[in-house]
Amino acid sequence: MIVYQAGLCDYVGTLTAKADESANIVRPEAKHIITKLAQHYRLGVISKTKNPDARIHELQALPFACYFQHIQTCREKNEEVVAAALKGLQVGGIECWVVDDRIRNFPPFRKAGCTTIWLRDGVYATEEPENEYEQPQHIITSLAGLL
């Protein structure tokens, strides 16, 4: 049995209701869900962006930012980004789950041993995996599915 110590959340499209970087509206339930998850896991957030400095400030201003032990931006989610996030949370991949609205982002997490959870909602809800690494291990349709 796997005992998870940490969780990583995508930002745009997962913690926000839109997958459009120009209109990041935090999901109404996000604060409640993150608050509850923080009682059991070390949490981190990773956000893919073209403007890392602005996004860091945006993430730090979230009403639940205090629950994130690791905040990271990147231009692409790759093995180095995942390794940095796991190091920041002080866990190995097998001890960490990740939730994202895009299955295309899963390969580096799967390769690191993380458990992948697809938030099948919004713009990318109809994506189909192109390979085994994009295949989500769990599927939820709302953030409440993480509880």
Side-chain angles (χ1 to χ4, degrees):
M1 180 174 144
I2 298 172
V3 178
Y4 297 105
Q5 301 295 319
L8 285 165
C9 300
D10 171 58
Y11 180 55
V12 176
T14 302
L15 294 179
T16 66
K18 304 238 181 214
D20 174 4
E21 285 196 46
S22 65
N24 291 327
I25 302 165
V26 175
R27 292 178 186 267
E29 70 276 21
K31 183 177 182 181
H32 171 75
I33 302 297
I34 294 299
T35 302
K36 291 286 189 190
L37 291 171
Q39 294 172 9
H40 305 283
Y41 307 104
R42 292 190 292 275
L43 297 176
V45 61
I46 298 178
S47 184
K48 197 161 83 170
T49 182
K50 294 176 184 170
N51 189 342
D53 293 334
R55 181 59 51 81
I56 283 287
H57 292 296
E58 184 178 342
L59 293 170
Q60 291 172 336
L62 289 171
F64 45 86
C66 62
Y67 296 108
F68 292 121
Q69 294 180 350
H70 182 78
I71 295 177
Q72 183 176 355
T73 61
C74 61
R75 293 199 183 272
E76 193 65 39
K77 292 179 182 172
N78 57 38
E79 286 82 3
E80 293 80 23
V81 168
V82 173
L86 294 173
K87 183 177 180 180
L89 291 172
Q90 301 176 334
V91 295
I94 195 78
E95 301 169 297
C96 187
W97 50 262
V98 60
V99 61
D100 201 310
D101 68 313
R102 296 234 37 210
I103 60 176
R104 301 288 180 263
N105 291 329
F106 286 156
F109 294 98
R110 291 284 304 268
K111 290 174 184 175
C114 299
T115 296
T116 55
I117 304 167
W118 182 23
L119 176 59
R120 192 173 192 171
D121 180 51
V123 177
Y124 301 109
T126 59
E127 273 188 334
E128 292 292 330
E130 293 180 354
N131 58 57
E132 66 180 290
Y133 292 111
E134 290 181 359
Q135 183 66 46
Q137 291 160 292
H138 302 281
I139 299 172
I140 58 176
T141 56
S142 73
L143 287 178
L146 293 171
L147 297 179

